[in-house]
Every structure is written in C-alpha cells, then in structure tokens.
Amino acid sequence: MTTPATGPVAAVELLEVRKNYARVQAVRGVSLTIERGEVVAMLGPNGAGKTTVISLMLGMRRPSAGHVRLFGLDPGDRAARSRCGVMLQESGVNDVLRVAETVAIFRAYYPRPLPTGRVLELAGLEEVANRKITALSGGQRQRLYYALAVCGDPEALFLDEPTAGMDVEARRSFLAGIREYASEGRTVVLSTHYLEEADQLADRVVVIDRGMIVADDSPTAIKARVAGRRVSFTVNPAPSAADFEGLPISGLELRDQFVRFHSSNPEQALAAAFRRGWDVQNLEVVGADLEEAFVSLTTGRGADLAQTDERP
Amino acid sequence: MTATLAYLRFELQRTLRTRGFLLFVLGFPVLFYLLLKDTAGTGFRPLGIPFAGYYMVCMAGFGAMITAINSSGPRLAAERSSGWNRQLRVTPLPGWAYLSTKVLTSLLLTLPVMVVVMAVAAVFGPVHISAVTALELLVALMAGSLTFAAAGVLLGYAISSDTANPMINGGLLLLAYFGGLFEPVAAMAAWQQQIAYVTPTYQLAAVGWWVLGGRTPLLPHALALLAYLIAFSALALWRVEVDEARSAA
C-alpha cells in the first residue's frame, strides 16, 4: 500500500472490504480505487449498499473485513478528514441558527476554508443567507448540506444521494454546480439511483448491487450495456409472436392487444411495425428504467439476450 | 483550537437564542427565592447562616444545576436523534471537542444564572456578603456544577430525545427537594435527612454554605461531589463508547 511520502496516493482505496450487520451482509467484498481528480458515481438501487460503502470510505463505519484508506491514511484521521467535504443523507442541522451562521461555524472546522460568500454562491444560497434553517424548503436544506460539504474547500467531495427530494430544475442547477466544482480538479464521489444523473456528472460509474460491484466503467459503456428503450403500444387485431420475427427487439410481451418490448433501436422497430400497416395506438417509448438496467447488469442475462435476440 | 472555539461560540450563541430555556433556568430559581425566602420566619439560622443567605445558596445551586444538566442532556439526546452529531463527525472537529465543549458551555452558562439569583437575593433577601465571598461562591458552585454537567452528558446518551426533558427535569426537582434545596435539611424529618445527606444536590449546596461561613466542613462534601463526578463521567464515557460503537457497527 502506498504512503503519502512515496508518491501519488489515491483519494480512496477499498480493498476486499466487507461489512456485516446483524444478519445482513451489506457489503460483500468491494475493492475500489478512486484516483484524485476522478468524478465517480456510485449507482445502485435502494438498499444496494451505497451509503454503507460511503460511510466505510469516511470511517463512519468500520469494515468487518478488508482495508480502507482515505488519502493513504486511516479514514478516521483528522488529516484525511480535513481534506474531505461530506454530504450525508438525513443530516441534522441546528434549528435556531441562520444559514450564513451555520456555514461560518463549519468553515471554522477546516484549516483553509472558502470565504462564506463564496460558499453561499456555490450552493446557491445567497438569497436565503439570513434565513433561519427551519424556514428553508427541502431543496434549500439539501443545498445547505452541500454548502457545509464544500465550505472547507475540500479536495474530495462525498455526496450521498445529494439530489434526493429536489425537483427537476433544482436538480439541474445543483448538478451544474457540482460539475463546476469538480472541474477544478477535485475528486467527487456521489451516490445516486438515477442513471442520467450519473451520466451527466461522472467520468466513471460504479454500479453496486446487493453489496457488490457489478459494473465499473464509463457512463457511455454502462449505458450501452443497458437495453435501450422500452416500447409499448396496442394493436388491433392482436398480433402473435411470429409477427415480430426479424425486428430488432428483445423481451417481447404480448397480452391480447397489448405489446411491450425492449429495443436498442426503437425507431427501426417501430418503422417496421408501421410498414406492416398496423394500427398502432397508445404508443409509449421510454428509457429502460434502472431496475431493468440492474437486472441486465447483475444477472448478465438481460444484456446478453438483448444482443443475441436482436436481428437488425 | 479555532475549531473548538468556534464550536463553543456556537453553543453559547444558540443557547442564548433559546428564550424558553433562559426563562426556565433563570425564572424558576428567582421565583422560588422570592416566594420562599420568608417562609422560615426571621431568626431561623440554619448552620448559623441567616436564612436569606442560606436560601440564596440553595437557589443559586439549583439554578446552576438545572442549567448544567439542561444545556447538555436533552440537547445531546436531540442531536443524536436529529443526526447533527453525525454531521459533526464527518468534519475535522475532533470527537473529544464535541463533548468537552458541551460541558464547558454548561459551566459557563451557570454563571449568569447564579449572578442573577444572587443579585435578586442581595436586593430582596437582603443578603450582605462581600464581593470576594460572592466571587468565591460563584467559583465553588460552578466547579460543583461540573458533576451535574457530567450527569447531563450521561443522560443525553442514556435517554431518548422524546423522554429526555420530562425525565431530566422531573428527576432534578426530586433531587432538589430531597437534597434540601427547597426545604432546609434542618426542618426535615429524620428519615428525609438521611436521604438528603447522600444526594449530590445537598453536597453542592453544602459547599456553598461553607463558603458563606456556615457550620459545615468542606472536605467531605467536596469529596462526595468529586465521587459523583467520577461516577457520572465513567458511566457517560461508557455510554458514549457504546453509542459510537453502535453507530460505527
């Protein structure tokens, strides 16, 4: 294992880390190295172990087995901790304080903090700087947690589902802020269960499911492994499976007049359907949701089927 | 160091902003003092101290003790349940700073409470003591309050935030009553006196009476307070460890 004296040290190193709770194996042998300056999204459904992995990285929980290093140090070490900014899920903040005061207090915990004004600007909280925390909306509160994470001008940011509870617009501007921060060469580790969020922000996506890493790749590569779009419509009269022979689809479901399938090329599949003169009604084309992505990534079957069944 | 100081400033700031808290810790001792200072009748000099002064010690001690416990216990319980201490745990603020700042805040806050009680007593008692004696009394009671601050930390980690307030304050009233802070020990039934002698509240008041020149020794009471302090601190540290092991488990 490298030490700070001998050369560049990874921001985070997990080696064969396991974490067992009473009867549950929350993390089942995770090895992961996050280099400095990387922006990594940990993607996974609820209960996949993302939060546990982050709390292990930060020394908030001790691994049942394996090794954890934060900037080459023990994660409980203050020297390591002063280089990190953390945004937890379900944090508490004190109610009687105002936004700017809370930021000012947290700044004082770090050796080289950003000016309070800059922190408020980064988090988009300038307009509510003098508001009491109790008077903040859910999204504003979330941004306050972000402010507390960046106020120490950390080299590494750890964000556990930072956009939870935000609406689309708030999420967009929030992610833009994180991107700006990350562009200055900082390490960002965030967990999310939105594939698009990981896609927008990260150069690397680590997919976690049931306590294990099931994929670790660029967002583009991850997306390519997920069967593209889900298409559903109704046709009268009811078609048979034979009618779909030769179309670039997988996972075909037929229930009377209702048709549903996956396709990495829905345009081509639909063009073929229209050419057959079908009276297509109630058409829906949606991105395959993450649940399906996980099915394909964890079992490998979905992705394989998508490749073998498609005859473009 | 700056981190710890900033945290201390924050703790004080936040307490001074909680008006209900100030009203409670200032209001009760002052009110009890004004209501009860004359009930014993003139000429009643427990331990050889005029009753107005004797009772000033009781209420300054009572104020100091409810301040010390209430500015640590219920707040720690609430912060554990709200996740505020998790938020602090991921900052570089050292773990010991969190608890020691709580204790230090508790002690500092006892000062204004005792000063107000003593000022009221000086005017309405009336109590005549020198500035030096007044200062000695403040220092003695504040040092004794450390025992109650430690008890607050223990309760903050042992009790859930839902029940912290009623349990702590109910317990405090009983302790104050049985410790002879409301009714002079000399006026109690014999069995009650036996109880009073073992309460930490009585030990605290006794140290104060000694400062005012009362016929009571200092050493046994100071040692008793110290014994309570050690016991509460040991139990509190054990609870803190259990809590941290549980959250890191």
Side-chain angles (χ1 to χ4, degrees):
Chain A
M1 191 160 290
T2 48
T3 57
T6 56
V9 181
V12 177
E13 263 181 297
L14 300 184
L15 190 65
E16 273 304 307
V17 169
R18 290 173 182 277
K19 182 66 187 175
N20 306 326
Y21 297 123
R23 273 183 224 96
V24 190
Q25 295 178 299
V27 177
R28 304 186 293 165
V30 165
S31 295
L32 175 67
T33 302
I34 297 174
E35 301 297 340
R36 288 194 225 180
E38 269 192 298
V39 179
V40 178
M42 293 204 298
L43 184 65
N46 285 326
K50 304 184 298 285
T51 298
T52 307
V53 169
I54 288 191
S55 46
L56 288 166
M57 288 175 177
L58 295 166
M60 296 174 69
R61 290 181 187 281
R62 277 185 282 280
S64 310
H67 293 281
V68 181
R69 280 293 193 236
L70 187 59
F71 289 109
L73 301 166
D74 183 280
D77 196 314
R78 278 194 70 202
R81 204 160 270 182
S82 18
R83 295 160 75 172
C84 300
V86 184
M87 183 173 168
L88 300 167
Q89 285 183 67
E90 292 157 32
S91 286
V93 277
N94 193 270
D95 298 348
V96 296
L97 287 180
R98 294 167 200 284
V99 170
E101 287 169 346
T102 311
V103 170
I105 288 158
F106 272 76
R107 284 180 67 242
Y109 301 155
Y110 292 88
R112 282 174 301 280
L114 293 171
T116 302
R118 173 75 182 132
V119 176
L120 294 174
E121 185 194 332
L122 275 171
L125 288 168
E126 299 105 315
E127 277 154 41
V128 292
N130 289 315
R131 202 171 287 178
K132 280 208 177 152
I133 291 166
T134 34
L136 295 182
S137 72
Q140 287 168 335
R141 205 174 260 244
Q142 207 69 6
R143 277 187 273 151
L144 173 63
Y145 296 139
Y146 179 67
L148 300 184
V150 296
C151 71
D153 196 15
E155 289 173 53
L157 262 185
F158 294 81
L159 312 169
D160 194 5
E161 293 187 16
T163 60
M166 285 189 187
D167 60 38
V168 179
E169 187 45 46
R171 175 172 293 162
R172 202 197 332 269
S173 69
F174 184 75
L175 290 177
I178 297 178
R179 223 177 1 251
E180 184 199 330
Y181 193 78
S183 69
E184 294 164 40
R186 277 140 171 143
T187 313
V188 177
V189 179
L190 95 158
S191 72
T192 177
H193 45 242
Y194 301 108
L195 181 55
E196 50 180 300
E197 199 166 296
D199 185 24
Q200 273 180 53
L201 204 61
D203 353 293
R204 177 177 167 198
V205 178
V206 175
V207 183
I208 296 185
D209 186 52
R210 280 166 282 174
M212 292 196 291
I213 294 179
V214 295
D216 182 349
D217 221 325
S218 71
T220 324
I222 295 284
K223 276 195 299 182
R225 292 175 64 171
V226 175
R229 302 266 155 183
R230 191 171 57 188
V231 179
S232 64
F233 52 84
T234 55
V235 184
N236 198 8
S240 72
D243 292 327
F244 294 89
E245 286 284 324
L247 293 183
I249 63 166
S250 64
L252 177 66
E253 284 175 69
L254 294 175
R255 267 199 321 273
D256 299 329
Q257 298 169 357
F258 178 77
V259 178
R260 184 157 69 181
F261 55 79
H262 276 123
S263 176
S264 56
N265 192 346
E267 295 83 357
Q268 196 185 340
L270 283 168
F274 286 121
R275 270 202 303 277
R276 287 174 195 196
W278 289 357
D279 177 23
V280 171
Q281 303 277 336
N282 303 315
L283 175 65
E284 262 185 32
V285 182
V286 293
D289 63 27
L290 203 58
E291 196 102 355
E292 295 166 73
F294 284 116
V295 170
S296 66
L297 285 168
T298 47
T299 63
R301 277 186 56 226
D304 292 344
L305 281 177
Q307 279 153 18
T308 51
D309 281 11
E310 282 184 12
R311 282 157 246 166
Chain B
M1 198 61 215
T2 48
T4 311
L5 278 179
Y7 192 59
L8 177 64
R9 200 191 62 199
F10 152 72
E11 285 285 353
L12 288 171
Q13 197 176 13
R14 145 216 237 191
T15 309
L16 296 176
R17 244 184 241 175
T18 319
R19 288 200 200 93
F21 175 80
L22 289 181
L23 210 64
F24 171 74
V25 297
L26 278 174
F28 271 79
V30 167
L31 191 70
F32 279 130
Y33 187 79
L34 294 174
L35 287 175
L36 299 175
K37 71 181 169 62
D38 295 324
T39 49
T42 49
F44 180 46
R45 296 171 65 92
L47 303 174
I49 312 167
F51 188 68
Y54 177 93
Y55 199 55
M56 175 182 80
V57 169
C58 292
M59 285 304 105
F62 178 61
M65 144 189 141
I66 60 177
T67 307
I69 291 201
N70 277 298
S71 48
S72 50
R75 197 166 284 171
L76 282 167
E79 289 177 359
R80 278 196 308 132
S81 74
S82 77
W84 169 257
N85 65 350
R86 282 201 320 147
Q87 181 79 52
L88 286 182
R89 211 174 287 164
V90 292
T91 69
L93 183 74
W96 57 263
Y98 175 62
L99 281 183
S100 55
T101 306
K102 280 275 185 300
V103 170
L104 190 57
T105 311
S106 303
L107 287 189
L108 288 177
L109 287 169
T110 62
L111 266 183
V113 173
M114 291 190 290
V115 166
V116 169
V117 172
M118 286 163 65
V120 167
V123 175
F124 297 98
V127 176
H128 306 288
I129 53 171
S130 71
V132 174
T133 310
L135 210 62
E136 282 171 356
L137 184 60
L138 284 174
V139 170
L141 290 182
M142 191 162 107
S145 300
L146 189 58
T147 298
F148 295 93
V153 174
L154 169 61
L155 291 169
Y157 275 84
I159 298 177
S160 83
S161 64
D162 297 338
T163 48
N165 265 311
M167 282 195 57
I168 287 174
N169 288 304
L172 278 179
L173 279 178
L174 284 177
L175 263 185
Y177 176 77
F178 281 104
L181 296 191
F182 296 133
E183 185 187 11
V185 181
M188 285 179 172
W191 67 272
Q192 273 189 339
Q193 291 186 347
Q194 295 307 314
I195 296 177
Y197 293 145
V198 297
T199 60
T201 34
Y202 173 77
Q203 311 303 334
L204 180 68
V207 168
W209 296 323
W210 175 82
V211 172
L212 291 201
R215 287 191 306 269
T216 181
L218 170 67
L219 200 61
H221 301 305
L223 285 179
L225 273 179
L226 185 65
Y228 271 114
L229 172 64
I230 291 169
F232 290 151
S233 306
L235 285 171
L237 289 177
W238 167 64
R239 288 305 310 177
V240 170
E241 247 168 56
V242 167
D243 186 71
E244 278 175 4
R246 191 187 300 145
S247 64

